[in-house]
Amino acid sequence: MLLAIDAGNTNVVFALLDGREIRARWRIATDPRRTADEYAVWLNQLLILEGYAIADVDAVIIATVVPRALHNLQVLADKYFKTSALIAGQAPVEWGIELDVAEPSSVGADRVVNAIAAHHLYEGDLIVIDFGTATTFDVVDYTGAYKGGIIAPGINLSLDALVAAAAKLPKIAIAPPESKSVIGRTTEAQMHIGVFWGYVAMMEGLVARMRAEIGRPARVVSTGGLAVLFNDNSDIFDAIAPDLTIQGLALLHERSLKTE
């Protein structure tokens, strides 16, 4: 079985796959200081709870945007899973798609993996929105080429910055306002409106501008934990793919086997 690891700025997601089928997934807060031994103890218990064992894993693939976290994850694969981890974007796991941007080496691994998975799953031109620490908007054309995109502050990051900078503002949860009105009558209501509907307006505006620039119909695919929340309050999403990054890693693993 394959252990796919997506190391992001906020969380590291581990997924156990049998072929392309996800059998289990877990997440843990990203901490570059976390050792391979700590990962192994945590993962071993979770595998047992799902009815699996460390010995069931015979391949590991990693995509990371946190370079300092990579070494310990590689040690985890070597020491406990007895296999050398494949690293997305590094030989023999080349991207296999064109990165048609000014600085291809600076594109985050998660964004390229999302582009690969989205092109595999959906036809035509695509806009992929990923809700993470940052919210990214990525354009993938009908040939599968990555054409660039947008990086915006994630909604939690925006909210944390607002609360930290304004002493009298309370902490609030990320949730749709109780009323559809955009004129709040309390401080908390005004914050909900600003954060939630402001974010919806930002997404809808950027998608409209991106579609106009692409000049062809473009399907919007969303992924990340908040995709469902916004889908209930906006009609810009054509598809929700919560496991897009993991699916992309599974595809890259398959391709690496074919090139061996």
Side-chain angles (χ1 to χ4, degrees), residues 80-150:
Y80 291 97
F81 295 107
K82 311 303 180 185
T83 184
S84 294
L86 299 170
I87 312 301
Q90 298 181 17
V93 194
E94 305 295 349
W95 294 129
I97 65 170
E98 180 186 4
L99 301 184
D100 186 15
V101 292
E103 299 175 339
S105 62
S106 69
V107 181
D110 54 343
R111 300 175 75 180
V112 184
V113 172
N114 284 348
I116 291 167
H119 178 67
H120 177 80
L121 294 170
Y122 307 100
E123 295 181 348
D125 292 273
L126 304 169
I127 298 170
V128 181
I129 304 178
D130 188 353
F131 296 95
T133 306
T135 298
T136 56
F137 300 71
D138 293 306
V139 176
V140 186
D141 76 7
Y142 62 93
T143 70
Y146 176 81
K147 307 296 285 187
I150 297 168

Side-chain angles (χ1 to χ4, degrees), residues 27 43 61 100 124 164 175 226-227:
R27 65 181 60 231
L43 269 175
I61 187 167
D100 186 15
L226 293 174

Side-chain angles (χ1 to χ4, degrees), residues 35-254:
T35 67
D37 301 328
E38 290 173 308
Y39 280 123
V41 170
W42 176 75
L43 269 175
N44 183 53
Q45 296 301 312
L46 291 170
L47 283 163
I48 291 171
L49 287 172
E50 296 288 344
Y52 298 102
I54 281 180
D56 292 325
V57 175
D58 57 13
V60 176
I61 187 167
I62 303 169
T64 182
V65 295
V66 186
R68 289 178 55 216
L70 179 58
H71 173 71
N72 286 331
L73 291 170
Q74 289 177 297
V75 173
L76 170 69
D78 289 334
K79 183 175 180 180
Y80 291 97
F81 295 107
K82 311 303 180 185
T83 184
S84 294
L86 299 170
I87 312 301
Q90 298 181 17
V93 194
E94 305 295 349
W95 294 129
I97 65 170
E98 180 186 4
L99 301 184
D100 186 15
V101 292
E103 299 175 339
S105 62
S106 69
V107 181
D110 54 343
R111 300 175 75 180
V112 184
V113 172
N114 284 348
I116 291 167
H119 178 67
H120 177 80
L121 294 170
Y122 307 100
E123 295 181 348
D125 292 273
L126 304 169
I127 298 170
V128 181
I129 304 178
D130 188 353
F131 296 95
T133 306
T135 298
T136 56
F137 300 71
D138 293 306
V139 176
V140 186
D141 76 7
Y142 62 93
T143 70
Y146 176 81
K147 307 296 285 187
I150 297 168
I151 301 173
I155 189 167
N156 284 298
L157 197 62
S158 299
L159 181 57
D160 289 345
L162 177 64
V163 172
K168 295 186 70 175
L169 293 183
K171 279 208 163 198
I172 61 171
I174 302 298
E178 293 181 2
S179 167
K180 295 293 184 182
S181 171
V182 292
I183 303 175
R185 297 176 61 82
T186 67
T187 298
E188 287 195 16
Q190 291 170 21
M191 290 177 68
H192 269 117
I193 291 165
V195 171
F196 189 85
W197 291 120
Y199 216 76
V200 170
M202 180 268 286
M203 290 189 298
E204 292 176 341
L206 289 178
V207 166
R209 287 174 175 267
M210 294 175 90
R211 279 176 162 156
E213 190 168 333
I214 292 167
R216 296 182 298 272
R219 184 177 300 185
V220 177
V221 180
S222 65
T223 189
L226 293 174
V228 173
L229 173 65
F230 286 117
N231 186 54
D232 292 337
N233 294 276
S234 177
D235 59 3
I236 62 169
F237 303 140
D238 296 297
I240 296 178
D243 295 310
L244 198 63
T245 310
I246 298 302
Q247 290 169 317
L249 286 172
L251 287 169
L252 282 174
H253 177 252
E254 283 183 13

